[in-house]
Amino acid sequence: MKRYLPILTWGPAYSPSALSNDLMAALIVTIMLIPQSLAYALLAGLPAEAGLYASIVPILLYTVFGTSRALAVGPVAVVSLMTAAALSNIVEQGTMGYAVAALSLAGLSGVMLLAMGLFRLGFIANFLSHPVIAGFITASGIIIAASQLKHIFGIDAHGHNLLDLVVSLVKHATQTNWITALIGILATGFLFWVRKGLKPLLQQLGFGAGITGVLVKTGPVFVVVLTTLAVWLFGLNDKGVNIVGEVPQSLPPFTLPSFSPALLAQLLLPAFLISIIGFVESISVAQTLAAKKRQRIDPNQELIGLGAANIGASLTGGFPVTGGFSRSVVNFDAGAETPAAGAFTAIGLAIAALALTPLIYFLPKATLAATIIVAVLSLVDFSILKRSWAYSKADFAAVLATILMTLGLGVEIGVSAGVGLSILLHLYKSSKPHIAEVGRVPETEHFRNILRHDVITDPTVVTLRVDESLYFANARFLEDKIQNRVTGAVDVRHVILQCSAINEIDLSALESLEAINERLREMDVKLHLSEVKGPVMDRLKEQHFLKEMTGSVFLSQFEAAQTLSSIKA
């Protein structure tokens, strides 16, 4: 049971000191999460209260099923944007059908994550390369920031890619509400200053590190309070400033997603993409924070935890959630020791949903937009282009294509392209494996690349070391490599494949080895294998290849070279 309910591992050992640390972390994260939750609901095209609802029950469920001690689950920017992009193509924003579709999207994503966890499919996330993910998040950050400019300037603008958004913003620029723009620009500027300038100022004034950290992290709350008071005192809502308005004063309601086959079919692909992106973002944060305390994260159990959280969101008026980077880091830095900090955060948000929602009636949407812009611009990192260009042109091409397609065609196509490019990039790299011709280093039993080292070779023996597992994509490449090396080399009598780096040989590769063996036989050249790993040898023994092979299998490359040289002599 501990495997599927990690709370049974840390729960019995829960101590008073852990309780005090978790309570302090929960207080800080709750204060930070209130404006964030409201803002991300706005980004997803949902009422503000949906952000609070999506941050209560999902956190409680992750506390029970998750393995990370610091991960804070809830709405995040990229997943909220993907939610809006997916739903706006199906249902009109602002309608009851839109909210139901959001519930269905969360439920479908939760079921997918739960199934992947139960079937231990956490490795699926490995198909997304880090550079491609970085490119997608960078492009998404730009789109998110651009999408919030309509709230900053108080205008009506729409679009799911950067070009559409810019055109729409320019087209409606004359509708700008200058009071809204002033609030939005000042709020954005203040939040940027809080991130960069407030900490040095407080340190100069003599504040301790602890209180300084808390004040910096709660900067968005100050903006929320000040701008809400300004709108209320001066009646700015009567002058065209868009406000959050009435938010239900209640705990998350019990809701049911739609089970319409037609709707679920339309949501299938978006739910899968949201599940994968959400899991990749969550697991990367969880593993980074766990490593700092030498703790272990189980990716498959994380899938179960995130799946339960999303199913919980679908049943309590929320939308898709995952582990957030910024609040997880805040949770960790604030001293959270166990997932109970998340449960205390959920309690704090529940209290806020019951008692504080009337206070945000006059909260301007421009303030929430400023919160989103400042949060997502920290995700934008164009340095990945420079690093990938310097290291690998193929990686650079994949990153650039992901960024351009996300910006130009929208997040769904962008992330789909990212997944496809990651897989194609892997296939491309592994389809042309590094194959080195090796010789013996003098006075040793070691064999190295003849192009890099001064080695001893035998003109009648060619040894090729294949630095990759052999499968359908690279089998023909090996055939061509051996054919080109042996053709015209009249002295060659033996070809040795050094298999020290080969972890697997699939059926296509086995058929290629059989073809290589036959071609070499026709040339009066024998094929040998050396340093074959146990699992690979076990598979080969089940087939007829070893019986039909013209040469032998050697335990070591040194033994092969010595034996075949003596045959030549």
Side-chain angles (χ1 to χ4, degrees):
M1 291 298 291
K2 287 182 178 180
R3 173 178 168 185
Y4 293 104
L5 293 172
I7 191 173
L8 298 177
T9 301
W10 58 265
Y14 200 61
S15 64
S17 64
L19 173 64
S20 62
N21 289 335
D22 286 344
L23 284 171
M24 179 56 68
L27 176 63
I28 295 172
V29 174
T30 300
I31 294 171
M32 173 189 179
L33 198 52
I34 291 173
Q36 264 197 5
S37 298
L38 300 171
Y40 291 146
L42 184 75
L43 177 58
L46 292 161
E49 63 269 18
L52 290 174
Y53 297 160
S55 303
I56 297 175
V57 172
I59 297 179
L60 291 172
L61 289 169
Y62 181 82
T63 300
V64 175
F65 294 101
T67 59
S68 172
R69 302 293 179 97
L71 191 69
V73 172
V76 300
V78 173
V79 170
S80 298
L81 176 66
M82 293 177 71
T83 298
L87 299 185
S88 58
N89 293 328
I90 301 170
V91 192
E92 184 180 350
Q93 200 170 108
T95 63
M96 181 60 71
Y98 189 93
V100 172
L103 298 176
S104 304
L105 185 62
L108 199 55
S109 175
V111 169
M112 288 181 177
L113 288 164
L114 191 61
M116 286 193 289
L118 292 173
F119 287 102
R120 310 190 69 78
L121 300 178
F123 66 88
I124 288 177
N126 298 335
F127 287 110
L128 278 172
S129 70
H130 177 265
V132 167
I133 282 290
F136 170 72
I137 291 177
T138 291
S140 298
I142 295 171
I143 292 177
I144 292 169
S147 72
Q148 296 309 297
L149 291 177
K150 64 181 181 182
H151 297 297
I152 294 290
F153 295 105
I155 62 178
D156 182 26
H158 300 282
H160 297 303
N161 60 63
L162 187 62
L163 181 61
D164 289 347
L165 282 168
V166 170
V167 170
S168 186
L169 287 167
V170 172
K171 182 179 178 181
H172 296 91
T174 55
Q175 302 172 1
T176 299
N177 183 295
W178 294 107
I179 299 176
T180 300
L182 182 62
I183 293 172
I185 292 170
L186 289 176
T188 304
F190 178 77
L191 288 172
F192 273 119
W193 176 77
V194 165
R195 288 200 165 201
K196 300 292 183 181
L198 181 58
K199 186 174 182 178
L201 177 62
L202 293 175
Q203 288 174 339
Q204 288 178 5
L205 294 175
F207 285 87
I211 188 65
T212 297
V214 171
L215 290 174
V216 170
K217 294 178 178 72
T218 56
V221 177
F222 295 132
V223 176
V224 166
V225 172
L226 291 174
T227 55
T228 302
L229 285 174
V231 172
W232 174 60
L233 288 172
F234 300 107
L236 299 181
N237 55 310
D238 296 328
K239 298 178 182 179
V241 175
N242 291 322
I243 59 174
V244 169
E246 186 175 355
V247 176
Q249 197 172 351
S250 69
L251 291 172
F254 176 72
T255 55
L256 278 175
S258 170
F259 296 99
S260 164
L263 177 62
L264 294 178
Q266 289 178 292
L267 295 176
L268 202 59
L269 178 60
F272 177 72
L273 296 176
I274 285 173
S275 300
I276 294 297
I277 292 296
F279 174 62
V280 169
E281 180 176 354
S282 180
I283 196 68
S284 61
V285 176
Q287 288 178 334
T288 299
L289 296 179
K292 294 182 179 181
K293 290 190 175 181
R294 298 191 178 186
Q295 295 168 348
R296 179 180 174 273
I297 298 296
D298 181 353
N300 293 304
Q301 185 60 34
E302 283 298 291
L303 283 166
I304 294 174
L306 292 175
N310 276 281
I311 291 173
S314 73
L315 298 175
T316 54
F319 55 99
V321 297
T322 191
F325 176 77
S326 57
R327 58 178 171 269
S328 296
V329 171
V330 169
N331 197 35
F332 180 86
D333 290 343
E337 289 193 23
T338 72
F344 298 139
T345 299
I347 294 171
L349 290 170
I351 294 171
L354 280 172
L356 302 181
T357 49
L359 302 179
I360 61 173
Y361 180 90
F362 291 101
L363 173 60
K365 290 185 177 180
T367 301
L368 295 179
T371 302
I372 293 174
I373 289 172
V374 174
V376 300
L377 286 183
S378 64
L379 303 175
V380 176
D381 179 19
F382 283 110
S383 67
I384 188 65
L385 289 171
K386 182 179 179 181
R387 293 200 307 274
S388 60
W389 174 262
Y391 189 77
S392 167
K393 300 301 185 289
D395 281 330
F396 171 80
V399 173
L400 183 62
T402 302
I403 291 175
L404 294 178
M405 293 187 75
T406 303
L407 292 177
L409 300 174
V411 290
E412 281 193 18
I413 295 178
V415 71
S416 300
V419 173
L421 286 170
S422 295
I423 296 172
L424 287 175
L425 190 60
H426 168 72
L427 291 175
Y428 171 76
K429 289 179 176 178
S430 60
S431 69
K432 297 183 177 181
H434 180 254
I435 300 177
E437 183 172 347
V438 299
R440 185 170 64 85
V441 178
E443 300 180 4
T444 73
E445 296 183 5
H446 300 293
F447 288 76
R448 294 292 183 269
N449 193 329
I450 64 172
L451 300 178
R452 295 176 178 270
H453 301 272
D454 184 14
V455 294
I456 300 170
T457 60
D458 187 325
T460 66
V461 180
V462 172
T463 300
L464 298 176
R465 188 190 69 226
V466 184
D467 296 332
E468 181 74 65
S469 291
L470 296 177
Y471 71 118
F472 65 91
N474 60 23
R476 288 299 300 274
F477 182 79
L478 176 63
E479 285 187 48
D480 295 340
K481 188 79 172 179
I482 294 176
Q483 184 78 16
N484 293 336
R485 175 62 182 86
V486 176
T487 301
V490 294
D491 293 333
V492 175
R493 291 291 175 265
H494 303 280
V495 170
I496 307 170
L497 285 185
Q498 186 179 348
C499 304
S500 53
I502 297 176
N503 295 317
E504 186 174 2
I505 298 175
D506 75 357
L507 188 58
S508 296
L510 178 62
E511 291 175 353
S512 288
L513 289 177
E514 292 171 348
I516 291 168
N517 185 56
E518 288 304 314
R519 288 177 188 170
L520 292 178
R521 187 201 303 272
E522 293 170 359
M523 297 180 184
D524 197 24
V525 176
K526 291 185 177 181
L527 175 66
H528 309 268
L529 305 180
S530 72
E531 302 185 4
V532 183
K533 293 185 176 180
V536 177
M537 180 61 77
D538 291 340
R539 297 283 295 275
L540 292 178
K541 286 179 178 178
E542 295 174 358
Q543 305 299 320
H544 297 289
F545 171 68
L546 293 180
K547 296 177 181 178
E548 297 171 357
M549 192 173 69
T550 54
S552 306
V553 178
F554 295 94
L555 185 62
S556 70
Q557 177 56 37
F558 180 74
E559 179 191 0
Q562 290 290 91
T563 302
L564 298 178
S565 292
S566 67
I567 291 173
K568 175 188 75 72

